[in-house]
Amino acid sequence: MSSRDAILGRVRAALNRKVSPGDTAAIDAHLAAHPVGLQPPRDWEPELRFRARAEALASTVEKVSSLQAVPGAVARYLVVNHLPTGGVCWPSLRKLDWIGAGLGMEDRPARGDDLVGVTGCFCAVAETGTLMLLSGPDTPAAASLLPETHIAVVETARIVPFMEDAWALARAERGRLPRAVNFVSGPSRTADIEQTVTMGAHGPYRVHIILVG
């Protein structure tokens, strides 16, 4: 008997409930089917909804026409906001012309002293304005978690309506989940102390999203 079976057995005993093989099969079938729960009416266009929700969460958003235009957009944002023009980017973005845009980007995981992190994202959720990031050798999680400024590159074609769609896309394209899945909904914040909102409590102070498409 596995630890999982032992724990579930104690729960069933406490509830005075017996589970038949048929019940177990029904549970397994339910989990395998990934049924979608009740969703709100969708009367919005995904990109517009995503942008509105992201901005409501204190992210800033800019749109460019191509991936090649991303370094220039990053440079403009950093200069206008008087931020360092260097930092780290995902290795998957290393081929972009960062030097040509006047930026010093190193394609490696972030360290504690890096102030700017540029990442892509696996997909984005329109309903909540949330980014979904999957960790991997070319997509290290630290680049979005450690620096004070997180700049995320989001292809508009990968904005999905609901969170369930994001998980379905991950299952379809990856088959199995990576070591870490991170969801980013605006800058890090907390109001635990005297209900005063403090930005950057557990992660970036600012999140800038560059839509590509």
Side-chain angles (χ1 to χ4, degrees), residues 8-23:
L8 292 177
R10 288 196 293 273
V11 172
R12 293 188 191 103
L15 296 174
N16 193 27
R17 179 183 175 190
K18 296 181 179 179
V19 177
S20 68
D23 292 336

Side-chain angles (χ1 to χ4, degrees), residues 27-161:
I27 293 171
D28 290 342
H30 178 85
L31 294 176
H34 300 292
V36 176
L38 182 64
Q39 293 179 329
R42 180 187 156 189
D43 55 357
W44 33 262
E45 192 279 324
E47 180 182 335
L48 295 178
R49 169 76 175 206
F50 171 77
R51 182 165 190 155
R53 291 301 303 156
E55 290 176 340
L57 292 167
S59 294
T60 52
V61 183
E62 177 182 0
K63 186 174 182 179
V64 299
S65 59
S66 68
L67 198 59
Q68 288 67 37
V70 166
V74 172
R76 287 193 299 275
Y77 174 79
L78 295 176
V79 170
V80 167
N81 290 281
H82 308 289
L83 296 169
T85 54
V88 298
C89 68
W90 273 1
S92 62
L93 300 174
R94 66 165 61 94
K95 292 184 179 179
L96 296 181
D97 186 11
W98 302 110
I99 295 176
L103 300 173
M105 288 294 166
E106 300 180 32
D107 55 355
R108 58 168 173 77
R111 297 188 292 258
D113 57 349
D114 289 312
L115 298 179
V116 176
V118 182
T119 76
C121 75
F122 176 72
C123 69
V125 180
E127 182 187 16
T128 56
T130 299
L131 309 175
M132 182 180 189
L133 288 74
L134 308 185
S135 68
D138 284 338
T139 57
S144 66
L145 299 174
L146 287 180
E148 293 181 351
T149 299
H150 175 203
I151 300 176
V153 181
V154 179
E155 295 183 38
T156 56
R158 296 190 69 84
I159 298 175
V160 298

